Amino acid sequence: QKEVEQDPGPLSVPEGAIVSLNCTYSNSAFQYFMWYRQYSRKGPELLMYTYSSGNKEDGRFTAQVDKSSKYISLFIRDSQPSDSATYLCAITDTGGFKTIFGAGTRLFVKA
Amino acid sequence: GAVVSQHPSRVICKSGTSVKIECRSLDFQATTMFWYRQFPKQSLMLMATSNEGSKATYEQGVEKDKFLINHASLTLSTLTVTSAHPEDSSFYICSARDRATGSAYGYTFGSGTRLTVV
């Protein structure tokens, strides 16, 4: 079993749709959760991060963590064509020394 | 915000030659840098952890004699792919963590290097 499971997609949605991206993880020792966005042929950029269970909102983006079920989500409201990218979830252990990335979900937002 | 500069962005080399990739933290000091490899449509695979002033720690299955890592200063780490072969063709990405913040979040990534070995 992989430590982080993420559906690679691709996921295609129309402009304005609400997008839901999800990951599951297996090891409860990982306490920090992040979402990265990666455009084609570029390095990932940090989108959101959180530690605790619950929701964290930043503009059109909401990160959700459910530690009890080891499930993390990223919601994108009013999706735009510029949101088209690969979204990677990542988890980090308490010491911040080991980060595991999901496979990444390729998102296409059609105009 | 923190910026990590990685270059070259693209390199094509002949089989058997060596290629050096540089990763620099521009506005912060990084005691630890990470080197990843990414195949098309796949996630980032950690190759090694580079620690300033000490030997790198390689992940299982990564040949340390083939992928030489040097972290000579708090702002620079280099990855040298020695005697490159076509199967080494990949996207290599570095990331760094700001020593001052020591944050577990948000390692800053470089823009990646596309290596093609012909």
Side-chain angles (χ1 to χ4, degrees), chain A residues 24-37:
Chain A
T24 59
Y25 63 99
S26 58
N27 191 338
S28 58
F30 290 90
Q31 296 286 318
Y32 298 90
F33 310 94
M34 293 149 283
W35 284 95
Y36 287 86
R37 178 174 60 195

Side-chain angles (χ1 to χ4, degrees), chain B residues 10-22:
Chain B
R10 300 183 70 177
V11 59
I12 300 173
C13 71
K14 291 184 177 180
S15 185
T17 61
S18 296
V19 173
K20 180 184 285 188
I21 302 169
E22 289 190 351

Side-chain angles (χ1 to χ4, degrees), chain B residues 16-19 64-68 80-85 88:
Chain B
T17 61
S18 296
V19 173
K64 62 181 181 181
D65 294 331
K66 181 169 188 60
F67 299 99
L68 300 179
T80 301
V81 183
T82 62
S83 187
H85 288 93
D88 298 324

Side-chain angles (χ1 to χ4, degrees), chain A residues 12 19 49 91 93 107:
Chain A
S12 184
V19 176
Y49 62 88
I91 57 176
D93 63 4
L107 172 67

